[in-house]
Amino acid sequence: MSSENKEDGTSAAIVPRSVARILGKIVAWLLAIAAVLVAATVVFALTFDWNRARPWIDDKVTQAIGRPFAINGDLRIGWQRPASETGWRGWVPWPRFTAQNITVGNPDWAKSPHFATLDQIGFEVEVLPLLAHAIVIPSIDLVNPSIDVERLADGRNNWTFKLASSGGPSTWTLQLRNLAFAKGSVAVSDAQSQVDMQIGIDTLGQAVPLGDVLKEQEASSRTASAQAVGQRGAQQLAAQASAVAAAQAASSASEATAGSGAIAPVASGAAANAKPALTYALGWTAKGAYEGTAISGSGKLGSVLALQGGDRPFPLQAEVRIGDTHLALVGTLTDPSHLAALDLRLWLAGVSLSHLYAITGITLPQTPPYATDGRLIGGFKAGGNEFTYENFTGRVGGSDINGTITYTGREPRPMLSGELVSNVLQFSDLAPIIGADTRSSKAERGDTAKQPAGRVLPAEPFQTDRWKAIDADVKFTGKRIVKNADLPITDLYTHVVMQDGVLSLEPLDFGVAGGTLSSTIHLDGSAAPLKGRFTTSARHLKLKQLFPSVKTMQSALGEINGDAALSATGNSPAALAATSNGEVKAVVTQGTISRFLMEAAGLNVANVVYEKMFGTQDVKINCAAADFVATDGVLDSRVFALDTEDAVINIDGHVDLRDESMDLGIHPHTKGFRVFTLRSPLYVKGTFNDPHVGVDAGALALRAGAMVGLGLINPFAALIPLIAPSNNQPLPCSDLLSQMKQAPSAPPPGKKEASKPPLAGSGAHAGAAAAQGAPGVARKAPPAAGAEPLSPAEAAQYKGS
């Protein structure tokens, strides 16, 4: 190899080494510069007086939120290693920002100059997520926050900020995980909702376990229940709650754990199975007014509110009085990022369930004083939040109530659904639902509506405006009804449906006198006046059980079957009755009834005295029928008659529901020969509240005049007016039953019933008309012994329906 070639090879080897040295120096300088920049940044961050940046920060935030913003105190940034990170991430320090004396201004129209003030705010920012344009704040600590919430009657409010619009969507995201505060206050002034409240929050001094709070609240709620339903009612409620808790514990012990945020509806004195971390650290108090009603309350909260994830339930407790309503709860927010996610033990007590409308917006009926205890579970759903009052127990007046109801927030109206059961129902507790309770009862629940003096039908108007606020689908069962001895009602079932202001009870069933009374009620309150439609079917009502306190009826046999169809308009039960149109029909099939009752109706003096001295016998009922047509609140009898072996009794006249009056004439006709009879027409007159029953004085005067006149001729002839020969003419029972089998009808609400011809056997002297071959009556010749009995098929016409 030549020397020239050797020199070229040496030069070629030197070039790469030179480049490498140069690149190495460049890298070294770059690293040095980076180290210097990092060091300078750290030194700057540690030594820079961030208070100099406050005007710039204040200005940027003010422009962003459209409100005056100011940091009036010290602003600092410190660095610290995150305790929650492990591995190499634990060596990356996080900046911690601290600012003191912060104010957020209010609009010019607000009463207070500031929307919010803070003594101090502190938070950390994770560094590594910043590389992905994500601002992650593990927790914000607030010291003595004060917030003023205000809304005017015209809808303007101070919690809606006019945020400055950007040129396009931001590539940065914000994640806030926890919120912690030690002390604070909130003032609420809402002219639209008529709320004026002051709420204060402070530390408890030490953590209080959830189980201890539950025991304390149970005792306090029992006292509130006793104030509402009495000491005995509160004890019964506690026993009901214990029975429910025992049943739940037997079926699923895991359901009652509080570690997952659940609060089981355990009995008084039992503690929830809570994890140690579930404790209360803050206490709060509230005082103010809602729609002019005083509000006061207190409670407890957890110290840290998790704003992301559902695995850290937030404990809360509250006891609030709103007017005459007491509300208490103990439990958790199971998912604090959605305030509807609840699992609570909830107690309610008050003078009427209807008063909950002002608090919850849920339409409930007027009731006697009540108290309930149950579990409230809430969940967030896309279609609307859902809250379930699960397996609750309660007392309403002297009745128990149990079941589960669910409230679903949906559009256009929320829905209330569920099934309720009363094992022992006091019938008197149903009276407030239709406004039929006493004045003292109405006064206790604050009801200003007064029943007109002397009126029986409830005149309290329906609150149809509330019907349009919510839909409902609720089933109610009263297994055993407690009532006075004169009321032969045994049980109750109804299915309540409310849809867009239309209330329906389909069916409304009562067990009555060994049979059933089944009704459907349809009230359309979507427009004025309210339109009502009613149908009723009575099946197999036993005569003996129908009059349990009437001694002379205890040997009676037979059944009553009937139907009614009515329509009406009006905004109260009394108004609906006063405008009713339709038909009412009833039939008594074969049976027996006391002879004394029949003889008393005929005023046969000798037989009455005889029966009273030597006992009673029974007579057979051939048939009894009643057919009334209602026109504008007036019930006119087309058929009202009773046929037995001994007598035929016809009743005519009318019952006026408009003024609650009646004018009925009772015309007895003896079938057998009677001596010393005062048989004369009777009358029933007066009002529902003050009826009068008596003898037709005119008929008796004529009879007395005949006695005097005949006595002047012959003393024995004076007895002739007291002797009653037998007409021996029965009612045409077969024809009556056949025509009564036709179902009654009612016109549309506000319309009158089309006129119909009277049925066979109608009128005061139907028996005589039948005997003379009245038109339209297919009369069969009666047997010599008296009335014609019903065939088995005729008797079964209503028994089988």
Side-chain angles (χ1 to χ4, degrees), residues 105-384:
N106 254 332
D108 295 338
W109 51 261
K111 292 182 295 184
S112 174
H114 297 124
F115 168 72
T117 62
L118 285 167
D119 284 358
Q120 180 175 297
I121 182 172
F123 60 92
E124 296 175 331
V125 178
E126 296 185 15
V127 172
L128 295 177
L130 294 174
L131 301 176
H133 284 204
I135 302 175
V136 178
I137 301 176
S139 177
I140 288 184
D141 299 320
L142 306 178
V143 178
N144 197 19
S146 178
I147 301 175
D148 183 274
V149 179
E150 188 175 350
R151 180 166 61 178
L152 301 182
D154 59 13
R156 286 180 292 169
N157 65 75
N158 68 341
W159 62 82
T160 300
F161 290 82
K162 297 180 180 179
L163 301 179
S165 59
S166 60
S170 176
T171 59
W172 289 84
T173 61
L174 174 64
Q175 296 181 25
L176 176 59
R177 293 175 179 169
N178 294 320
L179 178 65
F181 47 90
K183 188 177 181 180
S185 62
V186 179
V188 180
S189 178
D190 189 346
Q192 283 193 346
S193 301
Q194 301 182 46
V195 174
D196 191 358
M197 293 282 296
Q198 297 290 332
I199 303 172
I201 303 173
D202 204 347
T203 56
L204 294 175
Q206 62 179 2
V208 182
L210 185 146
D212 293 347
V213 173
L214 179 60
K215 290 181 181 179
E216 180 184 350
Q217 188 58 67
E218 282 178 333
S220 177
S221 295
R222 183 177 298 178
T223 301
S225 298
Q227 293 175 352
V229 297
Q231 189 63 43
R232 186 169 183 271
Q235 293 173 353
Q236 292 172 328
L237 178 58
Q240 292 170 221
S242 298
V244 171
Q248 289 182 336
S251 62
S252 177
S254 62
E255 185 182 359
T257 58
S260 61
I263 300 299
V266 294
S268 177
N273 298 324
K275 289 183 178 180
L278 233 66
T279 58
Y280 298 89
L282 302 172
W284 63 269
T285 59
K287 190 174 183 181
Y290 173 64
E291 292 187 349
T293 301
I295 299 177
S296 62
S298 62
K300 299 177 180 65
L301 300 169
S303 59
V304 179
L305 177 63
L307 301 179
Q308 288 186 346
D311 57 343
R312 295 178 58 191
F314 180 72
L316 66 155
Q317 177 264 334
E319 185 165 16
V320 181
R321 288 191 177 273
I322 306 176
D324 53 33
T325 299
H326 173 269
L327 180 151
L329 56 89
V330 176
T332 62
L333 286 171
T334 56
D335 182 1
S337 60
H338 298 111
L339 296 183
L342 303 170
D343 197 341
L344 307 168
R345 178 86 172 270
L346 175 64
W347 294 265
L348 291 169
V351 300
S352 175
L353 284 171
S354 65
H355 293 185
L356 290 175
Y357 176 79
I359 304 172
T360 65
I362 299 176
T363 303
L364 296 171
Q366 297 279 10
T367 67
Y370 70 93
T372 68
D373 179 358
R375 180 182 182 185
L376 179 66
I377 302 174
F380 175 79
K381 294 187 177 181

Side-chain angles (χ1 to χ4, degrees), residues 397-568:
S399 308
D400 72 292
I401 187 168
N402 313 272
T404 296
I405 56 175
T406 299
Y407 173 90
T408 304
R410 63 175 195 178
E411 294 296 337
R413 291 170 303 279
M415 165 65 81
L416 183 70
S417 59
E419 294 192 19
L420 306 176
V421 176
S422 176
N423 295 301
V424 180
L425 174 63
Q426 297 283 349
F427 191 77
S428 58
D429 291 336
L430 299 176
I433 296 177
I434 59 173
D437 54 335
T438 63
R439 290 189 177 183
S440 60
S441 174
K442 292 180 180 179
E444 287 179 3
R445 66 171 191 260
D447 191 348
T448 58
K450 294 183 178 180
Q451 181 74 2
R455 291 299 184 97
V456 175
L457 297 176
E460 184 173 348
F462 300 114
Q463 295 177 314
T464 55
D465 55 324
R466 298 185 178 185
W467 297 5
K468 304 169 188 177
I470 192 171
D471 292 339
D473 189 333
V474 179
K475 298 176 181 178
F476 177 78
T477 301
K479 292 184 177 180
R480 184 167 72 89
I481 294 182
V482 178
K483 74 291 181 187
N484 60 50
D486 296 332
L487 195 62
I489 297 177
T490 55
D491 53 51
L492 163 67
Y493 171 79
T494 187
H495 184 189
V496 181
V497 176
M498 190 155 59
Q499 180 74 34
D500 194 17
V502 179
L503 175 63
S504 299
L505 284 76
E506 298 182 4
L508 173 60
D509 291 347
F510 287 93
V512 180
T516 60
L517 189 64
S518 181
S519 303
T520 62
I521 299 176
H522 186 274
L523 302 175
D524 186 351
S526 61
L530 180 147
K531 297 179 176 63
R533 292 185 285 109
F534 314 87
T535 63
T536 298
S537 295
R539 294 294 180 266
H540 313 300
L541 274 59
K542 306 299 188 295
L543 284 173
K544 178 179 179 180
Q545 299 180 36
L546 196 60
F547 304 99
S549 62
V550 180
K551 187 175 181 180
T552 57
M553 293 293 290
Q554 297 313 296
S555 60
L557 300 176
E559 294 182 349
I560 293 180
N561 295 274
D563 296 280
L566 296 170
S567 63

Side-chain angles (χ1 to χ4, degrees), residues 607-631:
N607 284 319
V608 170
V609 174
Y610 178 84
E611 296 291 343
K612 293 289 287 183
M613 291 178 62
F614 301 104
T616 62
Q617 298 180 13
D618 295 334
V619 294
K620 187 171 73 172
I621 301 173
N622 296 318
C623 69
D627 182 5
F628 283 84
V629 59
T631 306

Side-chain angles (χ1 to χ4, degrees), residues 32-48 50 79:
I33 293 171
V36 171
L37 289 175
V38 171
T41 302
V42 172
V43 172
F44 175 79
L46 294 175
T47 61
F48 179 73
W50 288 95
W79 295 81

